[in-house]
Amino acid sequence: MTIRPVPPDPNHNYTNSALRTGDVDPYPQRQVGEFIGTVVANKWVNKEYKHVILKVHPHALKAYAGQMFHLLCPSPDGAEVWMRRPMSVYRVDKDAGHIEFLYKCEGRGTRGMAMLEPGDDFNVTGPLGHGFVLEPSWRNVVVLGRGVGLATLAPLSQLAAENKIGVTAILSARHPDVVMSRDLFEGLGAKTMTVLDSDGTSAVDNVEKILEGLIAHGKADAFFTCGSNRLLKLMQRLGKKHNIPGQVAMEQIMVCGFGACYVCMRTFEVDGQRLLRRVCRDGPVFNLQEAVGW
Amino acid sequence: MTIRPVPPDPNHNYTNSALRTGDVDPYPQRQVGEFIGTVVANKWVNKEYKHVILKVHPHALKAYAGQMFHLLCPSPDGAEVWMRRPMSVYRVDKDAGHIEFLYKCEGRGTRGMAMLEPGDDFNVTGPLGHGFVLEPSWRNVVVLGRGVGLATLAPLSQLAAENKIGVTAILSARHPDVVMSRDLFEGLGAKTMTVLDSDGTSAVDNVEKILEGLIAHGKADAFFTCGSNRLLKLMQRLGKKHNIPGQVAMEQIMVCGFGACYVCMRTFEVDGQRLLRRVCRDGPVFNLQEAVGW
Amino acid sequence: MVDLSVKIGAITLQNPVQPASGAFSWEYNDVIDLNRLGALVAKTICREPRLGNPTPRMAETEAGIIQSIGLPGKGIDYFIEHIVPEYAKFKPPLVVSCSSESIEDFAALAEELSVPDVDVIEANISCPTRNATGGNFAMHENYTRDCITAMRARTKKPLWVKLSPNAGDIVSIAKAAEDAGADALVIANTFLSLKIRTDNFRPALGNKFGGLVSPALKPIVLRMVYQVAKQVKIPIIGIGGVTKAEDVVEYMLAGASAVGIGYAGFRNPTALITIIDDLEAWCDERGIKKVTELIGAVKDQDMETDTLAAASVGI
Amino acid sequence: MVDLSVKIGAITLQNPVQPASGAFSWEYNDVIDLNRLGALVAKTICREPRLGNPTPRMAETEAGIIQSIGLPGKGIDYFIEHIVPEYAKFKPPLVVSCSSESIEDFAALAEELSVPDVDVIEANISCPTRNATGGNFAMHENYTRDCITAMRARTKKPLWVKLSPNAGDIVSIAKAAEDAGADALVIANTFLSLKIRTDNFRPALGNKFGGLVSPALKPIVLRMVYQVAKQVKIPIIGIGGVTKAEDVVEYMLAGASAVGIGYAGFRNPTALITIIDDLEAWCDERGIKKVTELIGAVKDQDMETDTLAAASVGI
Ligand SMILES: Cc1cc2nc3c(=O)[nH]c(=O)nc-3n(C[C@H](O)[C@H](O)[C@H](O)COP(=O)(O)OP(=O)(O)OC[C@H]3O[C@@H](n4cnc5c(N)ncnc54)[C@H](O)[C@@H]3O)c2cc1C
Ligand SMILES: Cc1cc2nc3c(=O)[nH]c(=O)nc-3n(C[C@H](O)[C@H](O)[C@H](O)COP(=O)(O)OP(=O)(O)OC[C@H]3O[C@@H](n4cnc5c(N)ncnc54)[C@H](O)[C@@H]3O)c2cc1C
Ligand SMILES: Cc1cc2nc3c(=O)[nH]c(=O)nc-3n(C[C@H](O)[C@H](O)[C@H](O)COP(=O)(O)O)c2cc1C
Ligand SMILES: Cc1cc2nc3c(=O)[nH]c(=O)nc-3n(C[C@H](O)[C@H](O)[C@H](O)COP(=O)(O)O)c2cc1C
Ligand code: FES
Ligand code: FES
């Protein structure tokens, strides 16, 4: 065999350069794409959370509330970040061609993400999974979230507004500085209330009272929650008591995001039987009553 | 055992953050330090080479011509660069507290280095090895270098100027655009001449003629070379013929830089016997006649 | 244009790039065109439905991930009835991986999986996280021989055997598999590993041990492929740390006829397609007419062995 | 302030951090204060002067380096006369690693190295690049037992045995070394590896095979330390991928009494000092009084084994 010599390609030698491909697909017929988005903004919302806006390929704009993307975060330190990070889509702006994420800066991936600057590439795969579903018969729904969970629940307000469904959003947080998404909910016509650890209003008893009040006033055709095991249990109890359907968005460590690897399992209870489901593909949104919590 | 809980330190989890320490030592009594320099400038000299200036700890300023530093290059692509890169010190500016390197941008390490911007940290270990030695009896020496080798030879002009020794520098290059260090040599009073592949003047025959001329005019009390096997062989031949002592700076892939690992071996011939020496510690500068070349 | 097709025994792959078992399912058709792949490789299936291991099932480490899934699945009957038809919608050959605790059951699985839409049976005798001890048949020459002999007797389908990188002498085990009638060797499964969290002193995975997956491991597995290729005649599929077209080339030079890919497809779901395209371009640029020319083409016959030779820097 | 000292048999180390053989020499005193180290560990010495392997001796790979040095050195006589005195200028105990092709010579080396300034003899029965085939005694239980028995008979010095991660069943080999009289086990040497250059189709190293060195390997070696620690009574020195104080903790939790460091000291010559300082701070912050409390303290007794338990994300 004779091999024609070829000068080395300096951009194609190593792991990351090769792995940072993407955007190769977007066939219209594919449900999911690996897209190279462009960062439009990436700002601090408070001391712990940032909000990133990406200009993306139009196919990525199919995402709806509760669906997620799998993000290939840049390295914060020059060593590789090995796995993608799952994030719920926080907002889809079809006119601008943007998708947005609200994220807590914690580990290496999210700290790397925090370093993104406008104009940077950001490789995102999605939209993935099944999101929230709104029944046409519902008039008013209650959204109850805490921490990162609020990022997942926020686009429900968008979906509800499109479907002319009223939303009451109860936002739970440690203290007033880390309440998030209120503007987004209110901007889309939702009524919001904030409950805090710092003044004791976030205690389960108090939230229960609020929920019972909403139920009594016909504001709770369905329940939605994410981000707190305590609040999940509460909504399950009240949902059962008043026969209110509900949905919960779950989290689990992921590898593939497509349903292939069985890493992202969570326990559910269906007809008294415990079973495992994949958060990435069978969820991330599940029947409130079936989730076993964590 | 009871363990007091400690919040995780987000900057201390992974490989690189931990490895990017340094500056812990500089005891005055140590010969070598691991220093965190600060980039002052990092500019292109031509299409292939950059010139970086670092503000460093005063102990790093001990470096002299032919000695090297071992550089922990940042990653060009988010995956780790595993080993340090050895580089000869190009210039030491004691007044400003600077050391400088002239380097060819090629592989991952040097491409990462090319991304450094003023104000960035740069972890350098050194000075390492034995550099060039000038005998007080010498009046005029000849420096013959090519490519990256010119970076190694350049500070000889500084050393020679301090010792009031005249320098003739023959700079060999592929074409006029990649001739380097002429300003540095000339600025310190050296006479320079350029020989090029593009006009054929770099051919061994022609360089030989030039050298013979310098020898005839008493300008060659010693020979210095780096960067070309062909030119090494030529200087060896003429050195032997005219009994002119000489020094050559050698290159080899390195791991430790301290003489411990025996990775950086080169072959030498002493009294008819072949043996191996460590470039990092026994060199990088060696007796011209003993080097076997490559 | 280079001819990318390779033969693994009686099976022809349109190109040498296939997913690794457990790192793939037909659901990836959401994001890439599965008809572009060299083969489709299903997740290892066991006879009975299995839940798999406790969570967490994955943890990041300094330079890779450890994972411990525990071969969950709905069992062979469900698999043949519902999952094989999902794969049958696509053109590339279907490789079905299977595992068991006993040799008899391995053999029975081989027979039961010999249905028309299954093209290849892959014996996963090397899963390090199937149970909590990390042991498996591929650690032992005799178990390997007996298991493959028993499977061979019960199926006419091409039979591939996935070996373990945790074995001390992979060459002997590879030869045992060949002697017992394997049609190809898949080298290798994952490295048995452990991570302990320094915040709470507990193992990071629910199953304690996990398999290490990282591009860092490529040099080890490549060495195994090289050693085995010198000693067996059947084709080898190299698996471990392939993230780019050059890695496919490197495995083929070492003696592999094809490669399997796990991690890279997790990190970049479109990676396998990119790698196939890049491999084609790589060969075309160099005037290589058939990718099979690369198999075993490492230039190792005239290695310079004189330590005192004056070698160039050599990179 | 935490007490960092640990005992390896009769030897007390002021802290559990030592360099790995071959990755260190007294010349590092140029950059760090060697008197801070837990021990000094000399490069493996052989009886005769050796040149070592052809260059290049190191190549970078995707996630680590491969190296093949080939145990160069000036032989045991020069070593005892000229190099031992260099180390004797410093306070920490001196560990001298040695290697040979034969059991008889290993035993003779043990005797000859039993000079006053040598504190420990480390039997390097696991160098993967000593010759071109990568074989060594530590791949086999019997060779290991015979070699260590023979060495034990000829020296009263503490005898440490460096094992190979390439062995399939490291626990049996560890037990053989313990039975034969080893005072401690060093786990482990490097992984036998290969890199083939895709530009010229040649092996990247002059010796073809090399040992892979990368932080990525820590989970594999940690698993080995954990498995061995459950089965032997003698102390273990864990070596492989330690780059920070938490890694020392992780190895100690798995059952190691100390660690050896290679790569991190190459990358950051001051790393060992930083790691010792950080380890001290880490213990102090958590109120740990003696670093020895960490040895084997992994919480693995009450592992959640119910797959269906509703576990938290767990990180
Ligand atoms: C469906 C879904 C939607 C999510 N939406 C959001 C969101 O909108 N905003 C937000 O801030 N966070 C969200 N999360 C959580 C987010 O994925 C984690 O905070 C993030 O992965 C942590 O990464 P890290 O680099 O900061 O942490 P590291 O500690 O470096 O993470 C280590 C590994 O654990 C995984 N991991 C850690 N925490 C979680 C978690 N809670 N869930 C899943 N995997 C985890 C990481 O992905 C990574 O693989 C969501 C999680 C899921 C599953
Ligand atoms: C004593 C000495 C002084 C040097 N001075 C200079 C200088 O002033 N300016 C300059 O541009 N270059 C100099 N070099 C060469 C420089 O070390 C290499 O160009 C550089 O290491 C290549 O790194 P890379 O990331 O571009 O290449 P890669 O291909 O990524 O390198 C891969 C590995 O090979 C090693 N390597 C590659 N080429 C060489 C080489 N020629 N010598 C030693 N190791 C090599 C690298 O260090 C690295 O470990 C010197 C080398 C030595 C030994
Ligand atoms: C999440 C996950 C699940 C896996 N499941 C299986 C499996 O079911 N059967 C199998 O033979 N190998 C399994 N493997 C191993 C892969 O097939 C492959 O051997 C390994 O990932 C190494 O290849 P890579 O470096 O390309 O990832 C699995 C690997 C991962 C990461
Ligand atoms: C350049 C180099 C040379 C080595 N030489 C030896 C040696 O002579 N004897 C030995 O027992 N181990 C030798 N090793 C192996 C190391 O002692 C150690 O086991 C290995 O590097 C893993 O540790 P690390 O991950 O901290 O680097 C060498 C390693 C390297 C990188
Ligand atoms: S992340 Fe792979 S199945 Fe959900
Ligand atoms: S680089 Fe280690 S001895 Fe020279």
Side-chain angles (χ1 to χ4, degrees):
Chain A
M1 175 184 28
T2 46
I3 310 147
R4 197 183 303 148
V6 170
D9 173 356
N11 295 314
H12 218 282
N13 291 333
Y14 270 73
T15 314
N16 260 41
S17 44
L19 293 172
R20 295 269 155 107
T21 56
D23 246 357
V24 301
D25 200 11
Y27 307 118
Q29 72 271 29
R30 303 256 159 249
Q31 296 177 40
V32 181
E34 181 183 343
F35 302 107
I36 308 278
T38 307
V39 176
V40 174
N42 187 22
K43 296 207 179 111
W44 290 99
V45 179
N46 54 43
K47 273 196 185 153
E48 296 171 3
Y49 287 82
K50 286 195 93 164
H51 175 198
V52 66
I53 303 179
L54 301 180
K55 174 90 184 166
V56 287
H57 193 283
H59 296 158
L61 302 171
K62 287 183 294 198
Y64 64 91
Q67 280 196 306
M68 63 175 207
F69 280 82
H70 220 180
L71 314 182
L72 187 54
C73 300
S75 167
D77 53 22
E80 195 137 351
V81 175
W82 293 93
M83 279 292 145
R84 288 176 180 259
R85 269 45 177 172
M87 292 279 167
S88 305
V89 62
Y90 178 58
R91 189 164 168 253
V92 180
D93 184 340
K94 293 211 169 124
D95 298 334
H98 292 168
I99 56 172
E100 308 180 10
F101 301 98
L102 182 71
Y103 62 100
K104 187 164 181 195
C105 301
E106 246 174 344
R108 288 180 69 243
T110 49
R111 279 189 286 124
M113 207 172 149
M115 292 164 65
L116 288 168
E117 304 209 349
D120 285 352
D121 285 348
F122 191 27
N123 181 318
V124 305
T125 297
L128 294 165
H130 300 284
F132 296 106
V133 177
L134 295 180
E135 301 272 332
S137 62
W138 295 338
R139 288 285 146 262
N140 294 291
V141 300
V142 179
V143 168
L144 171 61
R146 186 173 165 92
V148 164
L150 294 170
T152 303
L153 296 166
L156 254 180
S157 59
Q158 203 175 351
L159 200 64
E162 285 166 14
N163 289 278
K164 308 222 182 333
I165 296 176
V167 173
T168 311
I170 308 170
L171 317 178
S172 171
R174 267 177 293 133
H175 53 82
D177 294 353
V178 291
V179 182
M180 286 169 313
S181 312
R182 185 157 45 186
D183 298 350
L184 190 58
F185 276 108
E186 291 184 350
L188 289 155
K191 275 189 55 178
T192 66
M193 44 188 104
T194 299
V195 295
L196 298 172
D197 298 357
S198 52
D199 62 8
T201 49
S202 67
V204 172
D205 289 0
N206 188 50
V207 178
E208 179 163 359
K209 267 190 223 132
I210 298 173
L211 289 176
E212 288 281 10
L214 291 167
I215 296 166
H217 286 83
K219 295 290 184 201
D221 296 335
F223 280 165
F224 295 87
T225 189
C226 180
S228 158
N229 197 36
R230 257 177 346 128
L231 299 179
L232 165 64
K233 303 271 178 220
L234 170 64
M235 276 199 150
Q236 283 179 329
R237 188 154 50 77
L238 295 184
K240 211 168 260 163
K241 182 170 155 198
H242 297 284
N243 202 15
I244 296 169
Q247 293 166 31
V248 56
M250 303 288 284
E251 291 185 8
Q252 182 55 286
I253 296 176
M254 294 190 180
V255 166
C256 72
F258 283 91
C261 75
Y262 292 83
V263 161
C264 65
M265 309 313 283
R266 280 263 169 222
T267 305
F268 295 85
E269 203 169 296
V270 184
D271 303 330
Q273 280 246 309
R274 289 202 157 198
L275 49 82
L276 296 175
R277 284 178 175 156
R278 298 166 298 184
V279 172
C280 72
R281 195 172 189 99
D282 304 325
V285 173
F286 295 93
N287 182 327
L288 180 73
Q289 294 299 346
E290 292 177 356
V292 169
W294 59 94
Chain B
M1 173 183 30
T2 46
I3 309 148
R4 197 183 301 149
V6 170
D9 172 356
N11 294 315
H12 218 283
N13 291 333
Y14 269 74
T15 315
N16 259 42
S17 44
L19 293 173
R20 295 268 154 108
T21 56
D23 245 357
V24 301
D25 201 11
Y27 307 118
Q29 73 271 26
R30 303 253 161 250
Q31 295 177 41
V32 180
E34 180 183 343
F35 302 107
I36 307 278
T38 307
V39 176
V40 174
N42 188 23
K43 296 207 178 110
W44 290 101
V45 178
N46 54 41
K47 272 195 187 155
E48 296 171 4
Y49 287 83
K50 286 194 92 163
H51 175 198
V52 66
I53 303 179
L54 300 180
K55 174 91 186 165
V56 286
H57 193 284
H59 295 159
L61 302 172
K62 287 183 294 198
Y64 65 91
Q67 280 195 307
M68 64 175 206
F69 280 82
H70 220 180
L71 314 181
L72 188 54
C73 299
S75 168
D77 53 22
E80 195 138 351
V81 175
W82 294 94
M83 279 293 147
R84 288 176 180 259
R85 272 38 180 177
M87 292 279 167
S88 306
V89 60
Y90 178 60
R91 188 162 169 253
V92 180
D93 183 341
K94 293 211 167 121
D95 299 333
H98 293 168
I99 56 172
E100 308 180 10
F101 301 97
L102 182 71
Y103 61 101
K104 188 164 183 196
C105 301
E106 244 173 345
R108 287 181 71 242
T110 48
R111 280 187 287 125
M113 205 171 150
M115 293 165 64
L116 287 168
E117 304 210 347
D120 285 352
D121 285 348
F122 191 29
N123 181 318
V124 305
T125 296
L128 294 164
H130 299 285
F132 295 106
V133 177
L134 294 180
E135 301 273 332
S137 61
W138 295 338
R139 288 286 142 260
N140 294 291
V141 299
V142 178
V143 167
L144 170 62
R146 187 174 164 91
V148 164
L150 293 170
T152 303
L153 295 167
L156 253 180
S157 59
Q158 204 175 353
L159 201 64
E162 285 166 13
N163 289 277
K164 311 221 178 337
I165 296 177
V167 173
T168 311
I170 307 170
L171 317 178
S172 170
R174 268 178 292 132
H175 52 84
D177 293 354
V178 290
V179 182
M180 288 169 309
S181 312
R182 186 158 44 186
D183 299 349
L184 191 59
F185 277 109
E186 291 182 351
L188 288 155
K191 275 187 55 177
T192 65
M193 44 189 107
T194 300
V195 294
L196 299 172
D197 298 357
S198 53
D199 62 9
T201 47
S202 67
V204 172
D205 289 0
N206 188 50
V207 179
E208 180 164 357
K209 266 188 224 138
I210 299 173
L211 289 176
E212 288 281 12
L214 291 167
I215 296 167
H217 287 83
K219 294 292 181 198
D221 295 336
F223 279 164
F224 295 87
T225 189
C226 180
S228 158
N229 198 35
R230 251 174 356 123
L231 299 181
L232 165 64
K233 301 274 178 216
L234 171 64
M235 275 198 150
Q236 283 178 330
R237 189 153 50 78
L238 294 184
K240 212 169 260 164
K241 181 168 156 199
H242 297 284
N243 204 14
I244 297 169
Q247 295 167 28
V248 56
M250 302 288 283
E251 291 186 10
Q252 181 56 287
I253 296 176
M254 294 191 180
V255 167
C256 72
F258 284 91
C261 75
Y262 292 84
V263 161
C264 64
M265 309 313 282
R266 279 261 166 225
T267 305
F268 295 84
E269 202 169 296
V270 183
D271 303 329
Q273 280 247 307
R274 290 202 158 199
L275 48 84
L276 296 175
R277 284 178 176 156
R278 299 165 299 184
V279 172
C280 72
R281 194 169 190 102
D282 305 324
V285 174
F286 295 93
N287 182 327
L288 179 74
Q289 294 299 347
E290 292 177 356
V292 169
W294 59 95
Chain C
M1 276 266 283
V2 59
D3 173 4
L4 284 184
S5 70
V6 296
K7 289 192 85 158
I8 311 289
I11 297 282
T12 300
L13 313 183
Q14 61 182 333
N15 64 60
V17 176
Q18 52 180 265
S21 176
F24 177 73
S25 70
W26 75 94
E27 290 136 322
Y28 264 86
N29 194 51
D30 284 0
V31 66
I32 54 169
D33 180 358
L34 300 194
N35 286 327
R36 297 274 328 266
L37 300 176
L40 309 175
V41 183
K43 164 129 193 109
T44 302
I45 187 73
C46 301
R47 171 166 309 282
E48 306 297 338
R50 285 171 66 103
L51 289 168
N53 292 330
T55 58
R57 290 182 174 181
M58 187 279 283
E60 285 193 326
T61 70
E62 279 71 7
I65 62 165
I66 57 171
Q67 51 81 25
S68 174
I69 316 295
L71 303 181
K74 297 197 174 157
I76 184 172
D77 296 337
Y78 182 93
F79 179 81
I80 291 175
E81 201 173 332
H82 294 103
I83 299 186
V84 171
E86 291 291 348
Y87 286 112
K89 296 175 189 161
F90 304 98
K91 285 180 292 185
L94 173 61
V95 179
V96 171
S97 170
C98 62
S99 178
S100 183
E101 306 266 326
S102 80
I103 289 178
E104 298 69 45
D105 189 45
F106 251 120
L109 285 173
E111 181 168 331
E112 289 162 57
L113 286 170
S114 300
V115 298
D117 283 334
V118 171
D119 298 292
V120 175
I121 295 172
E122 182 170 304
N124 177 3
I125 57 170
S126 52
C127 178
T129 56
R130 189 191 50 169
N131 58 39
T133 62
N136 58 55
F137 292 157
M139 300 293 285
H140 308 281
E141 204 178 317
N142 289 341
Y143 282 126
T144 300
R145 182 178 293 106
D146 294 348
C147 184
I148 303 310
T149 304
M151 292 179 81
R152 180 73 293 168
R154 304 275 285 274
T155 184
K156 296 209 155 51
K157 296 273 180 192
L159 179 59
W160 298 359
V161 180
K162 190 159 181 184
L163 301 182
S164 171
N166 302 304
D169 181 3
I170 198 165
V171 173
S172 309
I173 294 165
K175 282 203 230 165
E178 180 181 41
D179 291 348
D183 294 295
L185 300 169
V186 183
I187 301 174
N189 219 307
T190 55
F191 290 76
L192 190 67
S193 301
L194 175 68
K195 173 179 173 171
I196 301 174
R197 294 171 53 173
T198 53
D199 58 345
N200 65 7
F201 292 15
R202 302 182 71 85
L205 296 183
N207 181 54
K208 191 155 70 179
F209 294 133
L212 180 64
V213 172
S214 161
L217 302 170
K218 190 186 63 175
I220 307 178
V221 182
L222 192 82
R223 181 263 301 174
M224 292 177 175
V225 166
Y226 174 88
Q227 289 178 317
V228 171
K230 297 260 183 217
Q231 303 283 333
V232 302
K233 294 200 180 59
I234 51 177
I236 296 170
I237 293 114
I239 303 192
V242 173
T243 63
K244 54 188 184 303
E246 285 82 356
D247 297 335
V248 183
V249 175
E250 198 179 357
Y251 269 110
M252 294 186 81
L253 293 174
S257 296
V259 302
I261 300 182
Y263 171 69
F266 291 140
R267 195 172 201 284
N268 291 74
T270 59
L272 275 74
I273 306 299
T274 311
I275 291 170
I276 294 166
D277 290 343
D278 287 353
L279 180 65
E280 184 166 31
W282 193 95
C283 291
D284 286 344
E285 283 173 33
R286 284 160 186 78
I288 293 169
K289 295 269 172 290
K290 288 166 164 290
V291 78
T292 50
E293 293 172 32
L294 296 172
I295 301 171
V298 56
K299 295 192 183 161
D300 57 356
Q301 292 310 314
D302 57 341
M303 294 279 298
E304 180 62 72
T305 48
D306 177 6
T307 302
L308 287 171
S312 73
V313 168
I315 47 157
Chain D
M1 277 269 282
V2 59
D3 173 4
L4 284 184
S5 70
V6 296
K7 289 192 84 158
I8 310 288
I11 298 283
T12 300
L13 313 183
Q14 60 182 335
N15 65 60
V17 177
Q18 52 179 263
S21 176
F24 178 73
S25 70
W26 74 94
E27 290 137 322
Y28 264 85
N29 194 52
D30 284 0
V31 65
I32 55 168
D33 180 359
L34 300 194
N35 287 326
R36 298 274 327 266
L37 301 176
L40 309 175
V41 183
K43 165 131 193 107
T44 302
I45 187 75
C46 301
R47 172 165 307 285
E48 306 297 339
R50 285 171 66 103
L51 288 169
N53 292 331
T55 58
R57 290 182 174 181
M58 187 279 283
E60 285 194 327
T61 70
E62 279 71 8
I65 61 165
I66 58 170
Q67 50 81 26
S68 175
I69 315 296
L71 303 181
K74 297 198 175 156
I76 184 170
D77 296 336
Y78 183 93
F79 180 80
I80 291 176
E81 201 174 333
H82 294 102
I83 299 186
V84 170
E86 292 290 347
Y87 286 110
K89 296 177 190 160
F90 304 97
K91 284 180 292 185
L94 173 62
V95 179
V96 171
S97 170
C98 61
S99 178
S100 184
E101 305 267 326
S102 81
I103 290 180
E104 298 69 47
D105 188 45
F106 252 120
L109 285 173
E111 181 168 330
E112 288 161 58
L113 285 170
S114 299
V115 297
D117 284 332
V118 172
D119 298 292
V120 175
I121 295 171
E122 182 170 304
N124 177 4
I125 57 171
S126 51
C127 178
T129 56
R130 189 191 48 169
N131 58 40
T133 62
N136 59 54
F137 292 158
M139 299 294 285
H140 308 282
E141 205 178 315
N142 290 341
Y143 282 128
T144 301
R145 181 178 295 106
D146 294 348
C147 184
I148 303 310
T149 304
M151 292 179 82
R152 180 74 293 168
R154 304 274 286 274
T155 183
K156 296 211 154 48
K157 296 273 179 191
L159 180 59
W160 298 359
V161 180
K162 189 158 182 183
L163 301 182
S164 172
N166 302 305
D169 181 3
I170 198 165
V171 173
S172 309
I173 294 165
K175 282 203 233 167
E178 180 181 41
D179 290 348
D183 293 295
L185 300 170
V186 184
I187 302 174
N189 218 309
T190 54
F191 290 76
L192 190 66
S193 301
L194 176 67
K195 172 178 174 172
I196 301 174
R197 294 171 52 173
T198 53
D199 58 345
N200 65 8
F201 292 14
R202 303 183 71 86
L205 296 183
N207 181 52
K208 189 154 73 178
F209 293 132
L212 180 64
V213 171
S214 161
L217 302 170
K218 188 185 64 174
I220 306 178
V221 182
L222 192 83
R223 180 264 300 175
M224 292 178 175
V225 166
Y226 174 89
Q227 288 178 317
V228 171
K230 297 262 183 213
Q231 302 283 335
V232 303
K233 295 199 180 59
I234 52 176
I236 296 170
I237 293 113
I239 303 192
V242 172
T243 63
K244 54 189 185 302
E246 284 82 356
D247 297 336
V248 183
V249 174
E250 198 178 359
Y251 269 110
M252 294 186 82
L253 293 174
S257 296
V259 301
I261 300 181
Y263 172 69
F266 290 139
R267 195 173 200 283
N268 291 73
T270 59
L272 275 74
I273 306 299
T274 312
I275 291 171
I276 294 166
D277 290 344
D278 286 354
L279 180 65
E280 183 165 33
W282 192 94
C283 291
D284 286 344
E285 283 172 32
R286 285 159 185 80
I288 293 169
K289 295 269 171 290
K290 288 166 163 291
V291 79
T292 51
E293 292 172 34
L294 297 172
I295 300 170
V298 56
K299 295 191 185 163
D300 57 355
Q301 292 310 310
D302 59 341
M303 294 280 296
E304 179 63 71
T305 49
D306 177 7
T307 303
L308 287 171
S312 75
V313 169
I315 47 155

